[in-house]
Amino acid sequence: MDGICQIFRNFAPQSFSKRKNMAREERNIIGYTVGLVSEFALRFSIRPRQAYAYLKRYKGMEHLQRHYGVLHTQSFPDTVDVLAQVCQNNGGGLR
C-alpha cells in the first residue's frame, strides 16, 4: 500500500507540536482509504489491488484526497458510488 501513503503525503505534519495529532489523522485517513478501496473492489468483483489501480488511473484517488473531509462523513456505499461516477467521468469503464 505504498501508493496510498504517497498520495496522502500532503497530510504530513507541519510542525513537531502537531505531530502526534497528525499521526492519528494520517492513520485514520489511511485506514479509511484502505477500507474504501476494499469496498470498491467488492462492489465491482475485482481485487483490491486492481481497484486501487483503477481509482488512481481514473482520478478517483485524487477526488478522495481532495474531498476527504466530506467523503469520510458519508456511508461507504455512497462514497463508492461517488468514486465510481468520478472514474466514469474520467474514462473508466466499470459500471
Side-chain angles (χ1 to χ4, degrees), residues 5-65:
C5 294
Q6 290 175 356
I7 287 175
F8 290 101
R9 276 199 181 156
N10 67 336
F11 289 101
Q14 300 299 318
S15 69
F16 185 76
S17 65
K18 295 181 181 178
R19 186 165 181 80
K20 187 174 181 180
N21 290 334
M22 289 302 290
R24 184 176 336 155
E25 186 176 344
E26 282 179 316
R27 284 192 305 271
N28 290 342
I29 291 167
I30 290 170
Y32 176 82
T33 303
V34 169
L36 189 60
V37 169
S38 295
E39 288 293 318
F40 192 92
L42 286 172
R43 167 83 63 87
F44 294 103
S45 301
I46 58 177
R47 293 185 174 142
R49 180 175 278 179
Q50 293 170 310
Y52 173 75
Y54 177 84
L55 288 166
K56 187 171 180 180
R57 179 175 182 182
Y58 295 108
K59 302 186 187 216
M61 294 305 292
E62 182 180 319
H63 184 82
L64 175 59
Q65 181 182 6

